[in-house]
Amino acid sequence: MQLLEGKGVALKIKEGIKLEIESLEKKYGVRPKLVSVQVGENSASEIYVKSQEKTARELGIDYELRKLDGKTTQDGLIKEIDGLNKARGAHGIIVQMPLPQTIDAKLISRFISPLKDIEAMHPQNMGEIVFGKAKVLPCTAAACMELLNSVPALELYGKEAVIVGHSEIVGKPLALLLLNKFATVTV
Amino acid sequence: MQLLEGKGVALKIKEGIKLEIESLEKKYGVRPKLVSVQVGENSASEIYVKSQEKTARELGIDYELRKLDGKTTQDGLIKEIDGLNKARGAHGIIVQMPLPQTIDAKLISRFISPLKDIEAMHPQNMGEIVFGKAKVLPCTAAACMELLNSVPALELYGKEAVIVGHSEIVGKPLALLLLNKFATVTV
């Protein structure tokens, strides 16, 4: 058995992204911008948002937090997202969870343009995983694959993989990603 | 061990669909129409198309076969599909495989509107399976689920399921469907 450590892997990935963003800026004069939408106050969200902002800035990504009133309706939030979908200056959109109970979080995911949906929660992006053509991935599933990729000379072909849990954001997409690498997967 | 027979199940489903279509026609005056697009000649396709047409007519579905010249280009086929996407009279679209080698079949699937994509080959429809919200399903995967549903009092919750093969049209979507029923799935 081998326990995989994420910190070193994350550091390497971050370095790579930083360089990519630098060259993107030099070549095209574009600096990526992530817009985070938060509805109401939530202490867990606050911490998460701060950590997102810190990492984004470290990597050279602009980060804008749009705090909407806790009384924002579902339609109001959808309008806000739709504006961001059309905004040329916003390249990625992330909606902070949890949302107020009056808003259907799963429904909201469908209104983020698949092109700006960095968490890959739009059905279209999820479906691309089945076809092995995903350009964005749900983050925890992607992290598991990065951890596995970090093991030198690990060949997933024919390996038996066991996933505990079959959530929409981790278990199911991870199973698909492992199947794409020709592993035998049990969920 | 129990071998499941599909014929009886199919018959029952067909009867149900026939009734649904009759009531749809009475209520809204609409008769569903399936348009099948075939590029060039192919003996396997011919048989398949004939069987589709026969079943469609039995159920009260209008069936139109559009035979395009074998020299049709990829762009030409996409234009044809786009016209059908917009046509109010065409409710379902099916593109016959195999396509000529000059046409990328997987790319073509992406041009059928998810609303008319009765084979669920558009990434958006595939992604809906992950979320347990699919309105259309890849046919063989759907058939497997119907077979399982036909077993009286079979509870899939916690059952161990083994799928041999992990194709995009059968294995992967079937794994997702079984996971949605809380089975433990090995692919």
Side-chain angles (χ1 to χ4, degrees):
Chain A
M1 206 179 80
Q2 189 181 349
L3 199 64
L4 302 177
E5 269 283 355
K7 271 194 185 170
V9 181
L11 213 67
K12 259 197 199 162
I13 294 174
K14 280 183 190 170
E15 278 166 21
I17 293 177
K18 217 170 148 177
L19 291 175
E20 266 186 74
I21 290 177
E22 273 169 24
S23 83
L24 192 77
E25 222 177 330
K26 262 186 213 155
K27 249 193 189 158
Y28 303 103
V30 175
R31 201 178 152 87
K33 182 173 175 180
L34 175 57
V35 180
S36 166
V37 182
Q38 189 184 347
V39 183
E41 301 289 332
N42 178 287
S43 56
S45 271
E46 301 288 340
I47 297 168
Y48 201 51
V49 160
K50 270 194 189 132
S51 143
Q52 278 176 3
E53 178 162 14
K54 187 171 157 275
T55 306
R57 299 233 182 271
E58 275 170 21
L59 301 178
I61 298 170
D62 286 336
Y63 187 89
E64 181 190 333
L65 175 62
R66 294 210 183 170
K67 273 196 177 185
L68 306 184
D69 192 282
K71 285 171 198 146
T72 304
T73 61
Q74 185 165 290
D75 284 350
L77 178 55
I78 290 173
K79 257 184 210 162
E80 182 75 25
I81 291 171
D82 203 42
L84 290 171
N85 284 340
K86 287 170 192 149
R88 290 202 59 184
H91 306 101
I93 303 171
I94 189 164
V95 177
Q96 298 300 327
M97 300 294 154
L99 288 168
Q101 294 203 322
T102 49
I103 297 179
D104 178 346
K106 283 197 187 174
L107 186 81
I108 290 298
S109 309
R110 295 165 177 261
F111 284 92
I112 300 174
S113 159
L115 295 169
K116 300 190 176 184
D117 165 37
I118 59 160
E119 296 190 294
M121 281 295 112
H122 190 286
Q124 172 142 1
N125 285 326
M126 200 57 95
E128 296 287 3
I129 304 175
V130 174
F131 295 103
K133 299 235 167 160
K135 286 185 181 129
V136 284
L137 293 172
C139 54
T140 311
C144 293
M145 292 308 286
E146 289 289 356
L147 269 179
L148 289 173
N149 288 338
S150 75
V151 180
L154 174 64
E155 178 53 82
L156 290 172
Y157 186 103
K159 286 277 187 311
E160 291 196 22
V162 176
I163 301 171
V164 180
H166 74 296
S167 74
E168 293 153 5
I169 55 173
V170 187
K172 285 186 207 166
L174 183 56
L176 294 170
L177 290 168
L178 287 166
L179 287 174
N180 290 349
K181 296 286 180 193
F182 299 93
T184 299
V185 181
T186 300
V187 184
Chain B
M1 204 179 81
Q2 191 182 348
L3 199 64
L4 302 177
E5 268 285 354
K7 270 195 185 170
V9 182
L11 215 66
K12 260 195 198 162
I13 294 175
K14 280 184 190 169
E15 277 167 19
I17 293 176
K18 216 170 149 178
L19 291 175
E20 266 185 75
I21 289 176
E22 274 170 21
S23 83
L24 192 79
E25 221 177 331
K26 263 186 210 154
K27 250 192 186 159
Y28 303 102
V30 175
R31 202 178 152 87
K33 181 173 175 179
L34 174 57
V35 180
S36 166
V37 183
Q38 188 183 347
V39 183
E41 302 288 331
N42 179 288
S43 55
S45 273
E46 300 288 338
I47 297 168
Y48 201 51
V49 159
K50 270 194 189 133
S51 145
Q52 279 175 4
E53 177 161 15
K54 187 171 158 273
T55 308
R57 300 232 181 269
E58 273 170 23
L59 301 178
I61 298 169
D62 285 335
Y63 188 88
E64 180 190 335
L65 174 62
R66 295 211 183 170
K67 273 197 176 182
L68 305 185
D69 191 282
K71 285 173 199 146
T72 304
T73 62
Q74 185 165 289
D75 284 350
L77 179 55
I78 290 173
K79 257 185 208 158
E80 183 75 26
I81 291 171
D82 204 43
L84 290 171
N85 285 340
K86 287 172 191 146
R88 290 202 61 185
H91 305 101
I93 303 170
I94 190 166
V95 176
Q96 299 301 325
M97 300 295 155
L99 288 169
Q101 294 204 322
T102 49
I103 298 179
D104 178 347
K106 285 197 187 175
L107 186 82
I108 290 298
S109 308
R110 295 164 178 260
F111 284 91
I112 300 174
S113 159
L115 295 170
K116 300 190 176 183
D117 165 36
I118 59 161
E119 295 190 293
M121 280 294 111
H122 190 285
Q124 172 142 357
N125 286 326
M126 200 57 94
E128 297 287 2
I129 304 175
V130 173
F131 295 103
K133 300 234 168 163
K135 287 185 181 126
V136 282
L137 292 173
C139 55
T140 312
C144 293
M145 292 308 285
E146 290 290 354
L147 269 179
L148 289 172
N149 289 338
S150 74
V151 180
L154 174 65
E155 177 53 84
L156 289 172
Y157 186 103
K159 287 277 189 308
E160 290 195 24
V162 176
I163 300 170
V164 181
H166 73 297
S167 73
E168 294 154 4
I169 56 172
V170 187
K172 286 187 206 166
L174 183 57
L176 294 170
L177 290 168
L178 288 166
L179 286 174
N180 290 349
K181 295 285 179 192
F182 298 94
T184 298
V185 181
T186 300
V187 184

